[in-house]
Amino acid sequence: MAGASGLGTGPGAAGGDGDDSLYPIAVLIDELRNEDVQLRLNSIKKLSTIALALGVERTRSELLPFLTDTIYDEDEVLLALAEQLGNFTGLVGGPDFAHCLLPPLENLATVEETVVRDKAVESLRQISQEHTPVALEAYFVPLVKRLASGDWFTSRTSACSLFSVCYPRASNAVKAEIRQQFRSLCSDDTPMVRRAAASKLGEFAKVLELDSVKSEIVPLFTNLASDEQDSVRLLAVEACVSIAQLLSQDDLETLVMPTLRQAVEDKSWRVRYMVADKFSELQKAMGPKITLNDLIPAFQNLLKDCEAEVRAAAAHKVKELGENLPIEDRETIIMNQILPYIKELVSDTNPHVKSALASVIMGLSTILGKENTIEHLLPLFLAQLKDECPEVRLNIISNLDCVNEVIGIRQLSQSLLPAIVELAEDAKWRVRLAIIEYMPLLAGQLGVEFFDEKLNSLCMAWLVDHVYAIREAATNNLMKLVQKFGTEWAQNTIVPKVLVMANDPNYLHRMTTLFCINALSEACGQEITTKQMLPIVLKMAGDQVANVRFNVAKSLQKIGPILDTNALQGEVKPVLQKLGQDEDMDVKYFAQEAISVVAQRLRKLDFPVKDSGEPSVPRADKNHFPRPRVPGEDTGKGPVYQLHGDTRDTLAQLEIAELVHFSQSRD
Amino acid sequence: MSSSSPPAGAASAAISASEKVDGFTRKSVRKAQRQKRSQGSSQFRSQGSQAELHPLPQLKDATSNEQQDLFCQKLQQCCILFDFMDSVSDLKSKEIKRATLNELVEYVSTNRGVIVESAYSDIVKMISANIFRTLPPSDNPDFDPEEDEPTLEASWPHIQLVYEFFLRFLESPDFQPSIAKRYIDQKFVQQLLELFDSEDPRERDFLKTVLHRIYGKFLGLRAFIRKQINNIFLSSNYLTLPLPFFPSSIINGFALPLKAEHKQFLMKVLIPMHTAKGLALFHAQLAYCVVQFLEKDTTLTEPVIRGLLKFWPKTCSQKEVMFLGEIEEILDVIEPTQFKKIEEPLFKQISKCVSSSHFQVAERALYFWNNEYILSLIEENIDKILPIMFASLYKISKEHWNPTIVALVYNVLKTLMEMNGKLFDDLTSSYKAERQREKKKELEREELWKKLEELKLKKALEKQNSAYNMHSILSNTSAE
């Protein structure tokens, strides 16, 4: 870390010709070996800049050798380096020179730290694609071989991920060698390497010729699937999916199924969990026949597994399983072979299992149709709505839309209400928060009448919750409801109640009124805002609590765009000016901020034409475009002058979009 | 890395669902759950119809001819497992098995000549049947041994006695490794090691002792055990719950000169292990192991210290204090020639620690100056060390918020001044100039990068323009 003398080139050698060598490499390299890790990291992250400054030739001849030698560094720096090098092909002179990047990456692919190694491998995989077939065999394949026969397990694990990227473009002789090496890593004596090989088995199988898959991959798969370590066996399950996709039905039966059957019954729950977790993929890969004969019984076992983890994973797949069954048999299979097990799970002892099931069970109603849903599923839904675990109830409520399509929500509404009310009053605020988030959905499903009758009071009660997050969510909820039910509804049911709170003795509730106004004004439109809300806000400017006053200022700034000139000029401005003289520092600050925004707006309203002439977007280069007009933006909402307020931002966005678009199209 | 750990996946799926409900109090939620189910057990798969146990006659009542047969019968009887998650089932049989196991423990520890060759197979079979099992999923995917309550093994009433029996068996004067090695083989050890995943501290304790005995008695298995331990340590998903430490006695037994394998264990396993989350739990033993290595081979000092510097904690002050403690232990045994090799990087780190705003870190580092031996090393190399340390010490003597630290620093400065007054004066007078030079360098660096950025922009623009020209030419031609 001392000085730049390590590198063969002193500053003398760098005394540059041409304008590329403005900076002696020594200076740059000094930056790369600065004592401060953070600075070193910064320099590495800008490695592409350094390379650009050096030019392709010196990057190859000086920078890369230096990087290859300084592999001893903090992992954080190495990680950044590994990432950078993946995108370096252009900086060393294009594909013909891509192989120059291999030595440093090879070193990085052998280090202890997994994150660094993985990143190096990722970069190697990327670069492999940029090699010509000749270079691939001359440089890349030998590198893979070196890694695969490395002494320490780290290099061998890295090699596992590289076989599949060089195989397709290698010659036949080399292909045979690659397969041979992969084989030997699959029976490596460290479990870490076997895990790495097992996790790449599927990917490797995909690039192999079908014959080799059958003759070589399948035996490897069988071995790994009966490894002594469960961490290896479970990875074989993943590979099973990819391998199955490549084989014919007959081959599947003889080559893959025995192993898969074994995995379903594995003594380690981790392996069984994996089968459950990958069930949909397995089902698709194995095809309908094997699914019926083998996988359905296997699935039944997973649903009643002794470990809750496995049951939960299987329960998660119930819906997908149904969807992936052949349409004509779906109903019978689920009704006869799956539903009995599901019924058991509804009263499982483990809350995770129940909530996993609750998150998908509603999806079955579309598959089973109206009658079955009413007869068989509905009792389950109702039981789950009464479950002791709030998560289960939430999961059911959050998926109501599926049922609504099939049987309509009315069937459920009687049971729904107590469940909702209970969740709405749950002692945990996060449960309350979750149910609030479903309110707009519920409102849409249940309709305005039901809502007014049963749920409206809940929504209003949340506004005075003692947790801020709930009050905030309740405010947003109101906005969404107004968007759904319209302004007239808002005017009749929501706005009066909100405005009454402005006189609440609790200042937090008074502030809630302001927050609601902020949220609702846009949805309610100019008339309601000006006539009903504005007077209340203005009145609150005299509140004795400073927090309320500065929120008045903020609110006025917020609703400003919705008001017309008269209101702004005659009512808002004087109040803001008064607040601007407030004795409280914060009130003053926010009032002044609001004043300047309102003033800007007033100016705009006065001179609507001038507005489009002031570009606030930084110009990117000399190319100047005529500003495009906004198409279809002015489709009849609000009075004319409002258009300008909206269009200005849209214009800016369009302009940026245009620039981005343009620079891309040049490449 | 991630794909190889579905246990975490399994549990995290569960967590993510519960996060929806309560993300903040996850820990407390988990704790509450655990109180409900603080006991776990390997999944119990009933082996068809459960055999009911019938009490056999007492061993002590049998004639010496019958004893051996009865012993084996009892061992076989104890191979039957019971479901402890169901606390009311098979109560009678469970009690019979417990009594029998007790009797067996008693039998092998008080009688001589009962461990005959023919019994080994049954003994090991009984032990394997009981202790080798798939551990249940952890209630807690990121189990923190310091914070969390461990999941206890439900079948402990039986398993404990089996471990007890196993130990008595291994420790019996009649025990013959030459016969036992037919049964206690690599596969057996492998399965034994897998049990270290158990969260139950009682079981981990027994395992530790058992493994010790096996390592001690089966010379042929030593290399295998070491390799497997390596593998466990190196599989990153086990790092959160390391083996209860026992390599120290193994290291003690390493012959000199150290084999490459042993050095690799130090550099690739023990040193990286300093990054483990639960370091506090085993740091003392770990540091002891490291020092043992250095006492055996002093040439390892440099790589070890460089390794520690590489993994020096960046955000965890507690760990930093532990590292400083370990460094002091190492310095206690360091040879002066080795010290010279690492003084520069080491004291750069120490100078950073000294000026840490966490007073415990600063204090721990400053305590080095209370150590006579370290002090003598510093004095010998004062020309090198003082320039490294001076700036931080000088700065904190003026700026540190904690008065104790400031007082300590004054003492240290005084000591250093006494070691080389001339150098100290020079550094004091050049301190300001030095700071200014650093600032200037900082500016130069910024300047450099700014220029580089400009150059990059310029090049990018050139490239874009040429591409643009190409583009416009193309579009012109196509328009024609």
Side-chain angles (χ1 to χ4, degrees), chain A residues 23 34 74 195 428 430, chain B residues 21-22 235 314 445 451:
Chain A
Y23 305 99
N34 195 296
E74 303 254 348
R195 275 200 287 274
K428 286 203 191 93
R430 278 175 182 266
Chain B
V21 175
D22 218 329
S235 301
K314 294 200 173 55
R445 162 173 308 112
K451 278 188 192 161

Side-chain angles (χ1 to χ4, degrees), chain B residues 66-82:
Chain B
E66 296 163 353
Q67 247 181 2
Q68 202 49 50
D69 255 3
L70 189 59
F71 181 48
C72 288
Q73 273 178 35
K74 292 203 174 215
L75 285 170
Q76 279 154 15
Q77 194 175 43
C78 288
C79 287
I80 294 166
L81 305 180
F82 296 97

Side-chain angles (χ1 to χ4, degrees), chain B residues 44-274:
Chain B
F44 180 81
R45 312 190 113 180
S46 68
Q47 309 125 315
S49 58
Q50 191 64 50
E52 201 178 309
L53 296 193
H54 299 288
L56 295 163
Q58 292 271 305
L59 279 162
K60 62 174 190 275
D61 299 338
T63 63
S64 50
N65 300 351
E66 296 163 353
Q67 247 181 2
Q68 202 49 50
D69 255 3
L70 189 59
F71 181 48
C72 288
Q73 273 178 35
K74 292 203 174 215
L75 285 170
Q76 279 154 15
Q77 194 175 43
C78 288
C79 287
I80 294 166
L81 305 180
F82 296 97
D83 182 3
F84 273 84
M85 293 306 274
D86 181 353
S87 55
V88 290
S89 69
D90 309 307
L91 281 180
K92 205 169 135 235
S93 298
K94 280 178 189 167
E95 177 52 28
I96 291 171
K97 178 168 169 182
R98 199 191 60 78
T100 312
L101 282 168
N102 259 328
E103 198 193 349
L104 290 173
V105 171
E106 168 95 17
Y107 183 67
V108 293
S109 44
T110 52
N111 294 305
R112 296 299 291 277
V114 293
I115 302 178
V116 296
E117 189 167 347
S118 58
Y120 279 82
S121 154
D122 281 326
I123 290 174
V124 177
K125 214 179 276 166
M126 190 279 279
I127 293 167
S128 311
N130 280 284
I131 64 171
F132 295 156
R133 63 210 196 276
T134 313
L135 295 167
S138 169
D139 273 355
N140 183 351
D142 25 46
F143 177 70
D144 178 351
E146 251 181 302
E147 283 268 324
D148 300 325
E149 291 286 321
T151 311
L152 297 177
E153 173 58 47
S155 55
W156 191 244
H158 284 173
I159 291 201
Q160 177 184 16
L161 292 169
V162 176
Y163 275 116
E164 196 89 37
F165 174 77
F166 192 8
L167 272 181
R168 298 290 163 88
F169 168 63
L170 288 170
E171 288 166 358
S172 162
D174 295 337
F175 177 76
Q176 287 182 299
S178 53
I179 303 172
K181 74 178 180 196
R182 266 180 261 157
Y183 309 102
I184 298 181
D185 53 5
Q186 294 194 348
K187 183 142 196 270
F188 185 93
V189 169
Q190 176 72 46
Q191 286 173 286
L192 197 66
L193 284 169
E194 274 169 29
L195 293 175
F196 274 102
D197 268 351
S198 167
E199 277 178 25
D200 193 329
R202 302 167 301 183
E203 178 162 27
R204 291 163 66 79
D205 233 33
F206 264 115
L207 285 166
K208 187 169 75 173
T209 323
V210 165
L211 197 59
H212 247 134
R213 297 289 171 271
I214 294 179
Y215 190 86
K217 295 194 189 264
F218 296 83
L219 300 184
L221 285 172
R222 284 189 179 182
F224 179 77
I225 292 178
R226 285 199 304 269
K227 203 171 93 188
Q228 294 308 317
I229 292 177
N230 260 345
N231 287 347
I232 293 179
F233 281 144
L234 291 168
S235 301
S236 50
N237 42 343
Y238 295 90
L239 261 186
T240 44
L241 192 67
L243 297 179
F245 240 73
F246 73 97
S248 58
S249 53
I250 295 185
I251 295 164
N252 218 353
F254 288 164
L256 287 172
L258 289 177
K259 286 192 212 159
E261 177 210 327
H262 301 329
K263 290 185 188 169
Q264 207 173 43
F265 179 66
L266 171 68
M267 292 315 299
K268 302 218 166 179
V269 178
L270 293 185
I271 299 296
M273 200 181 284
H274 284 83

Side-chain angles (χ1 to χ4, degrees), chain A residues 1-2 19-20 22-23 27-28 30-31 34-37 39 42-44 46-50 52-55 72-76 78 110 112-115 118 151-154 189-192 195 199 228-231 234-235 238 264-270 272-274 305-309 316 350-352 355 359 390-391 394-395 398 428-431 434 438 621-623 662-667, chain B residues 1-11 13-15 17-25 29 33 36-37 41-45 133-139 187 190-191 194 197 224 227-228 230-232 234-238 264-265 267-269 272 303 306-312 314 344 348 352 441-442 445 447-453 455-465 467-468 471:
Chain A
M1 247 171 250
D19 65 349
D20 276 357
L22 281 170
Y23 305 99
V27 178
L28 299 177
D30 235 16
E31 285 296 290
N34 195 296
E35 250 167 52
D36 187 336
V37 184
L39 289 178
N42 289 345
S43 313
I44 285 281
K46 292 180 199 154
L47 202 59
S48 58
T49 311
I50 295 183
L52 206 61
L54 289 174
Y72 187 90
D73 202 334
E74 303 254 348
D75 292 326
E76 219 180 337
L78 297 184
T110 63
E112 293 309 289
E113 177 54 51
T114 325
V115 185
D118 288 350
D151 280 338
W152 193 240
F153 79 95
T154 51
D189 67 345
T190 70
M192 292 78 86
R195 275 200 287 274
S199 68
E228 61 190 15
Q229 302 247 333
D230 61 358
S231 56
L234 63 93
L235 291 169
E238 245 180 312
V264 175
E265 304 262 286
D266 197 286
K267 70 179 191 323
S268 164
W269 63 271
R270 290 184 177 86
R272 302 196 304 275
Y273 169 87
M274 205 61 173
D305 195 279
C306 46
E307 290 298 353
E309 260 75 2
H316 256 302
N350 186 299
H352 294 315
S355 97
S359 66
E391 236 175 277
L394 274 177
N395 280 346
S398 62
K428 286 203 191 93
W429 66 267
R430 278 175 182 266
V431 174
Y438 297 125
D621 55 24
K622 284 144 227 154
N623 302 315
F662 190 72
S663 62
Q664 277 170 345
S665 69
R666 281 175 178 181
D667 285 333
Chain B
M1 182 184 61
S2 58
S3 59
S4 64
S5 54
I15 288 296
S18 76
E19 230 168 17
K20 259 195 297 195
V21 175
D22 218 329
F24 279 165
T25 50
V29 167
Q33 280 170 358
K36 268 184 250 153
R37 182 198 145 180
S41 190
S42 50
Q43 27 101 18
F44 180 81
R45 312 190 113 180
R133 63 210 196 276
T134 313
L135 295 167
S138 169
D139 273 355
K187 183 142 196 270
Q190 176 72 46
Q191 286 173 286
E194 274 169 29
D197 268 351
F224 179 77
K227 203 171 93 188
Q228 294 308 317
N230 260 345
N231 287 347
I232 293 179
L234 291 168
S235 301
S236 50
N237 42 343
Y238 295 90
Q264 207 173 43
F265 179 66
M267 292 315 299
K268 302 218 166 179
V269 178
R306 285 191 187 275
L308 289 177
L309 292 176
K310 179 175 170 181
F311 294 122
W312 202 270
K314 294 200 173 55
E344 201 183 316
K348 276 181 183 160
K352 273 185 215 157
K441 232 181 140 185
E442 192 52 45
R445 162 173 308 112
E447 193 61 22
L448 169 75
W449 281 108
K450 227 162 76 194
K451 278 188 192 161
L452 283 175
E453 280 310 319
L455 184 74
K456 187 177 170 182
L457 275 180
K458 205 178 88 191
K459 289 213 175 181
L461 211 64
E462 272 170 25
K463 208 170 159 193
Q464 207 179 51
N465 280 344
Y468 176 69
H471 181 77

Side-chain angles (χ1 to χ4, degrees), chain A residues 618-648:
Chain A
R619 274 176 293 162
D621 55 24
K622 284 144 227 154
N623 302 315
H624 224 63
F625 310 102
R627 218 171 301 276
R629 293 271 5 135
V630 197
E633 240 308 302
D634 42 351
T635 39
K637 58 163 185 188
V640 188
Y641 45 74
Q642 200 189 322
L643 177 70
H644 297 282
D646 283 346
T647 38
R648 199 168 152 254

Side-chain angles (χ1 to χ4, degrees), chain A residues 323-352:
Chain A
E323 286 169 348
N324 294 333
L325 288 170
I327 293 177
E328 59 279 11
D329 310 325
R330 254 185 205 176
E331 198 186 313
T332 15
I333 296 174
I334 294 180
M335 289 305 296
N336 299 332
Q337 296 184 269
I338 303 294
L339 199 62
Y341 294 88
I342 292 180
K343 282 181 180 161
E344 295 281 304
L345 288 186
V346 168
S347 49
D348 198 278
T349 50
N350 186 299
H352 294 315

